[in-house]
Amino acid sequence: MTRPAPRTAAKPADGFDYSHRTAPHVTIRGLCKRYTDATIYDHFDFDIPRGKLISVFGPNGCGKSTLINMIAGLVPPDAGEVLFDGRPLSRVKFGYVFQNYREALFPWLPAFDNIAYPLKLMGVSKPQRKARVERLIERLGVKIDLALYPYYLSGGQQQLVSIMRALIVEPEMLFLDEPFSALDYEMTLFMRDQLQRVFIETSTTMVLVSHDLEEAVYLSDYVLLLSRHPARVVEFVSYDAPRPRTDKTLSEPGFIATKAHCLKLFQREVKRA
Amino acid sequence: MMKSRALLPLVGVAILLGIWAIVNGLKLVDPVLLPSPLSTFHTLWQGMIGGKLGADFLKTVARTVSSTAIAAVIAIPLGILLGSSEKVYRSVEFLIDFFRSTPASAMFPLFLVLFGVGDRTKISVAAFGAALVILFNVAYGVMNARKTRLLAAKVMGASRSRVLFDVMLKESLPQTFVGLRNGVSLALVIIVVAEMFIGSTDGLGQRVFEAQQLFDMPGMYAAIFAAGALGYTLNLLFLVIERRFVHWAGR
């Protein structure tokens, strides 16, 4: 499995110099997963670069979500190993954003307490929790009444709350499983920019599963194109347009060419019986 | 418009009272069997504010509430325990369904042998019936906890006991309240039957039965209405508590 490694490290907005840390963040080796009717992964190897946003894209049922669920420990792999800077998952702080925000948030807690809940699990004191949530709100420029219960918020607001809940522990990685596919188009556009802002602000390594190619290319530094199962890496497509990307980005030649390239590869995969 | 809508439920009541008054006024039914609404409600009022009926009413309330409370204290923790492991629940599901389907009144003789003639028998049969209903609902509430929500807690690093208390328990609350409402209704039914037939000297069941034996028809109807009001109020009470504590139910 060959693919171009990122040559330069991320230059996060916080001013710290991470340029010495060019090693991949996550190494996946020999990952295998079989469901009763199909082999989804057969000795799958891959490296996830540090501080980048990568999108996972591929044909239906190729195991996009299964991949991040195995990395995040939600689905046990049959074989293989996933290491974060050489450490197992149990020693890593990470965040996970579900597609179904309605079922992922806790409706019995106000939005604010939902965001603070992971800190409560970590044993952080109440005043500290409050301070940290308030800091995050300010940093992301969130303008939602977080005293409300989640079911009073719009879909996009609820998903933003789930993203904040994932970010509150200052995770080194963030997994997002089709986070915007349950939202209407207008809200999706807004949420893409919110996510991009979070990414620029935090430089967290992010892995986003998407079924929308435009979204995948627009948001990411790399698009991981997977084949039909058993999944292989078709190509790890780099897209390095500067951030923040805007509506204009969507009509730039670089964007169009990258998207067309991905689409071509995707269609070749879909047709391959 | 809104106001007239709120008054709609009263239409049915007015129709029933109207028909009752007409039937009574035209003497279509023997007035001994069907007294006038006025004399019935007069008896109800007199009985409730100082007569024997009020005391019997309170007695039935006390029995129903204590049997439901005993049932809840036993059934809620047990239901959570059973529901948190589907294997465990499946292994006792048949027993629960069997005894849930057994009319609790069929258990009276057994409980009479166990507890003798008295309050303990009535309360324990009612608690038994209500407990099974509550148990079944709580266990299902726990088992049907949203998988995503459990995963979300797990992914945030919640321990098994944290998942149980912070998520499963909350997730099961709406179904638990369904169980409590059904349980309290069943407990009332069992208590009233027990008061009628197993050597009781007080309670609404005894009042209805005694009034019928003495051919005191206004007294009998009054006691029936008192029992109806009690059942309705208990159900309403649980609904109000539910709205308050399980504000997210159905959202």
Side-chain angles (χ1 to χ4, degrees):
Chain A
M1 210 68 34
T2 56
R3 39 154 223 91
R7 250 158 295 149
T8 52
K11 265 270 188 221
D14 61 9
F16 287 103
D17 186 5
Y18 290 117
S19 58
H20 61 289
R21 300 176 72 183
T22 49
H25 194 164
V26 184
T27 48
I28 301 165
R29 293 293 176 267
L31 207 60
C32 298
K33 184 72 190 173
R34 238 197 102 72
Y35 288 124
T36 43
D37 49 344
T39 301
I40 306 290
Y41 287 95
D42 185 17
H43 294 92
F44 183 83
D45 300 330
F46 189 69
D47 291 346
I48 297 174
R50 183 183 314 280
K52 300 286 179 191
L53 199 164
I54 81 164
S55 296
V56 185
F57 191 77
N60 239 344
C62 76
K64 301 186 283 281
S65 297
T66 305
L67 179 64
I68 72 163
N69 288 343
M70 284 195 291
I71 301 173
L74 292 182
V75 171
D78 297 339
E81 159 181 86
V82 179
L83 291 175
F84 300 72
D85 285 325
R87 297 162 302 163
L89 177 77
S90 55
R91 296 184 43 207
V92 175
K93 270 195 288 185
F94 66 95
Y96 191 109
V97 177
F98 293 85
Q99 176 184 356
N100 192 341
Y101 47 81
R102 212 178 287 279
E103 291 199 353
L105 290 174
F106 298 151
W108 47 84
L109 295 179
F112 194 96
D113 294 356
N114 262 285
I115 298 169
Y117 182 75
L119 296 177
K120 194 177 161 196
L121 288 179
M122 287 163 57
V124 177
S125 72
K126 202 170 177 186
Q128 283 260 328
R129 297 203 293 262
K130 190 163 180 280
R132 281 178 68 172
V133 175
E134 273 162 3
R135 219 182 311 146
L136 182 68
I137 293 168
E138 199 176 327
R139 192 166 166 206
L140 301 181
V142 172
K143 293 179 194 71
I144 303 174
D145 182 0
L146 295 172
L148 293 174
Y149 287 102
Y151 49 80
Y152 286 120
L153 302 176
S154 73
Q157 289 174 328
Q158 289 185 43
Q159 193 58 298
L160 191 56
V161 169
S162 341
I163 293 174
M164 289 171 76
R165 182 176 71 175
L167 288 171
I168 192 66
V169 297
E170 288 163 16
E172 55 176 273
M173 278 209 75
L174 187 61
F175 300 99
L176 304 111
D177 185 11
E178 303 203 12
F180 310 139
S181 53
L183 303 174
D184 61 44
Y185 192 61
E186 189 187 336
M187 195 46 86
T188 302
L189 292 181
F190 171 72
M191 287 303 294
R192 281 179 194 171
D193 290 331
Q194 288 282 319
L195 183 66
Q196 181 176 230
R197 179 171 176 163
V198 168
F199 179 66
I200 294 170
E201 275 290 322
T202 64
S203 303
T204 310
T205 306
M206 294 192 187
V207 182
L208 169 89
V209 169
S210 179
H211 66 212
D212 177 347
L213 187 55
E214 180 184 274
E215 174 178 293
V217 176
Y218 176 77
L219 282 174
S220 47
D221 300 303
Y222 295 94
V223 179
L224 170 60
L225 278 165
L226 292 178
S227 69
R228 275 195 184 288
H229 63 77
R232 295 169 295 100
V233 178
V234 175
E235 197 176 312
F236 195 51
V237 183
S238 161
Y239 179 60
D240 57 5
R243 295 182 193 274
R245 297 168 187 169
T246 61
D247 295 348
K248 278 194 201 117
T249 311
L250 295 175
S251 49
E252 277 166 8
F255 177 82
I256 294 168
T258 308
K259 195 179 149 193
H261 178 65
C262 292
L263 187 61
K264 194 181 75 194
L265 294 172
F266 173 74
Q267 278 173 334
R268 203 174 66 199
E269 264 319 303
V270 169
K271 278 178 202 141
R272 207 169 59 88
Chain B
M1 189 62 199
M2 282 302 284
K3 216 170 176 183
S4 62
R5 261 182 183 282
L7 294 178
L8 274 181
L10 294 180
V11 173
V13 176
I15 291 173
L16 180 70
L17 288 177
I19 293 173
W20 183 3
I22 291 167
V23 168
N24 186 258
L26 298 176
K27 299 202 186 321
L28 295 176
V29 177
D30 187 345
V32 176
L33 295 180
L34 185 70
S36 74
L38 213 65
S39 79
T40 301
F41 286 108
H42 181 72
T43 311
L44 178 60
W45 179 252
Q46 288 295 325
M48 287 301 279
I49 59 154
K52 225 173 147 227
L53 185 58
D56 285 322
F57 183 86
L58 290 179
K59 207 72 197 164
T60 301
V61 169
R63 285 178 184 137
T64 307
V65 168
S66 48
S67 55
T68 309
I70 292 169
V73 167
I74 295 170
I76 292 176
L78 200 58
I80 291 167
L81 205 72
L82 295 182
S84 59
S85 161
E86 188 149 354
K87 259 193 214 150
V88 175
Y89 187 77
R90 293 297 169 219
S91 59
V92 293
E93 186 176 28
F94 174 75
L95 284 182
I96 293 173
D97 283 347
F98 183 83
F99 284 106
R100 206 162 56 86
S101 315
T102 309
S105 45
M107 307 294 255
F108 282 145
L110 172 64
F111 279 76
L112 273 171
V113 171
L114 291 176
F115 296 111
V117 184
D119 266 8
R120 277 171 60 190
T121 299
K122 299 183 193 69
I123 291 172
S124 50
V125 178
F128 173 80
L132 287 167
V133 173
I134 298 170
L135 178 68
F136 155 83
N137 277 288
V138 172
Y140 262 85
V142 172
M143 277 192 289
N144 293 337
R146 308 285 203 301
K147 293 284 171 293
T148 310
R149 220 159 261 156
L150 299 177
L151 272 181
K154 201 184 135 203
V155 118
M156 289 187 274
S159 61
R160 264 187 74 105
S161 62
R162 247 4 234 268
V163 171
L164 183 66
F165 285 103
D166 287 0
V167 186
M168 278 191 175
L169 214 99
K170 298 274 175 34
E171 278 279 280
S172 67
L173 271 183
Q175 193 69 32
T176 299
F177 269 93
V178 172
L180 284 173
R181 267 190 290 134
N182 290 337
V184 78
S185 300
L186 183 63
L188 179 62
V189 169
I190 296 169
I191 290 290
V192 168
V193 173
E195 286 168 348
M196 282 184 186
F197 299 116
I198 54 173
S200 190
T201 52
D202 48 20
L204 282 176
Q206 173 60 20
R207 187 103 312 276
V208 175
F209 194 65
E210 197 181 276
Q212 185 253 340
Q213 295 289 303
L214 300 173
F215 233 67
D216 169 17
M217 285 300 148
M220 192 187 84
Y221 284 105
I224 290 173
F225 282 129
L230 175 56
Y232 189 84
T233 309
L234 285 173
N235 201 36
L236 198 66
L237 191 71
F238 274 98
L239 266 180
V240 170
I241 297 173
E242 185 180 338
R243 291 243 171 89
R244 217 191 134 91
F245 287 96
V246 199
H247 53 84
W248 66 90
R251 307 226 203 193

